[in-house]
Amino acid sequence: MLQKLMSMGVMVTINQTIDFDTAFLVATEFDYEIEKASSEEDILIKAQEKKIDPNKLRTRPPVVTIMGHVDHGKTSLLDIIRKSKITTGEAGGITQHIGAYSVETPNGIITFLDTPGHAAFTSMRYRGAQITDMVVLVVAADDGVMPQTIEAINHSKAANVPVLVAINKMDKPGADPDKIIRELADHDLVSEDWGGDVIFAKVSAKAETGINELLESILLQAEVLELKANPEKFASGHVIESRLDSGRGPVATILVRQGTLKIGQPIVCGLHSGKIRMIIDDMGKNVNNIKPGFPVEIVGLTGVPEAGDEFVILASEKNAKQISEHRTQKSRAKELSKKSRANLEKLFANMGAEQIEELKLIIKADVHGSIEAINESLIKLAKEKVDIKIIHSGTGTINESDVSLAAVSNAIIIGFNVRPSLKIREMVKKENVDMRFYDIIYNLINDIKIAIKGLIPAVFHEIIIGTAEVRDIFVVPNKGTIAGSFILDGKVTRGEKIRLIRNGVIKCDSILISLRRFKDDVKEVTQNYECGLSIQKYNDIKIGDIIECYKTEEIKESIME
Ligand code: GDP
């Protein structure tokens, strides 16, 4: 058998496990058929998955993720709800940041995931864990539906998780909840008042109004979902966060989905096993057991699991260990096969008479969640004609190493909500690297789609007219913030589009509404001159910010293709 395997190019020793496909091939060589048996793991875990007994099902708290555009008040809302936990119940207590917390209201308990935004939601879903029962979409009443609002809607839709809308910042003078309701209706979130089925709550995290109504609405939505669990079973659920604690070893925050978790029980969690030595709740208190729908920290695992990993409690420690060993072996085999496949691809590319077209990308984005989302959409695209390979991705702005990587590997750089410095732009030009910027995933995917169809050469949609640096700030009554700026490159022109960039990340995309040299209003200011400028509807300008003045130009041929 080893010889046959070797002749097939599979180098293994007698102690090594081979995957099903390889086993199938080698068996065929000997004229045998093979059949897939359930793995030990399946047998052990399934053995305790007894039939669902409807009489034993109890309602469990809903698990809620808060999403929405940056600065619309996700963190503020989470904080204010957390604070209410302390005032209602545990006097003098301080909640611990363990990744999730639950609050008790007169009508029921709700568990909130403590990391707002898409990042946690998407990365867990990416790992196959559907933890969230409901998404609370936060939209600022004085702003509107923004790119990340739309992304949050799309994430929720893709995950098939119901959305409840919290219109925040109702205390602000410019609050216009009707506008938000109208805009969201365009994205299939139709309010109950309009004949739809989406619950809208009007809140202010600052003035602390509407919070109880929001919690009530969440529970109302939960009732519709009929979230039930059997507390009598062995516990199972998912990891939300994990870390290595210098004193206590691996610590994982888990969310119990089914059953009751108890001290002393054997557990398998991802690749690791162990025995529950300590259970700590979100108030930092040691507890002996925990029911479905609640988050806790556990101590006692042999290694640090990953967020999104599943855990199960087992009857015996031996079984737990066995499963963990089996999984570790499987994951090693997977790593090995990954490596050899990459080499194979290279081989094909070099040997094939016909050149295999491949699109290599480097993706830099402001938040990790965007990368995950782009990744997912690209994986779907990759099934078409051309292979898409993301050779590197990361959060933060585009830097020198990205450009050199792109140059050596002939990759395209994609900046999502980030912009590089002038120095990097020059390097890009010199190295003749293709670099594109987006702030909406749809546009990015669409461009790549077009590119795949004919691998059309680079099409630039925007032209940067000039770049300025903010050197001083003046706040003028009735006028807002004026940025005393120095033009580093090109020129800035009144009425044109501008972007405010801080540490490489786009903070706002707006219009240059006023431009002055000394006391005079001017139309434009050119390189090496100073000016005072202000941005339409945006005052959060800081010294050191970069202002980019740009034009967008439609290049017709590419669209006609
Ligand atoms: P996140 O980025 O969505 O987590 O937003 P934050 O919670 O950090 O809030 C962004 C800014 O909006 C902060 O300066 C908050 O103080 C402010 N903010 C949040 N909620 C409210 C509110 O209800 N009313 C007002 N006026 N400001 C708010």
Side-chain angles (χ1 to χ4, degrees), residues 69-76 168-172 204-206:
H69 195 72
V70 63
D71 279 350
H72 280 194
K74 298 178 292 293
T75 318
S76 308
N168 188 34
K169 306 200 184 184
M170 284 299 291
D171 59 293
K172 283 208 158 179
S204 163
K206 193 176 178 191

Side-chain angles (χ1 to χ4, degrees), residues 22 58 61 134 159 161 205 212 239 289 299 330 379 407 424 488 552:
T22 316
R58 302 282 173 272
M134 205 185 299
V161 174
N212 287 338
V239 176
N289 56 61
V299 177
K330 251 193 357 202
I379 287 168
I424 299 295
L488 300 169
T552 37

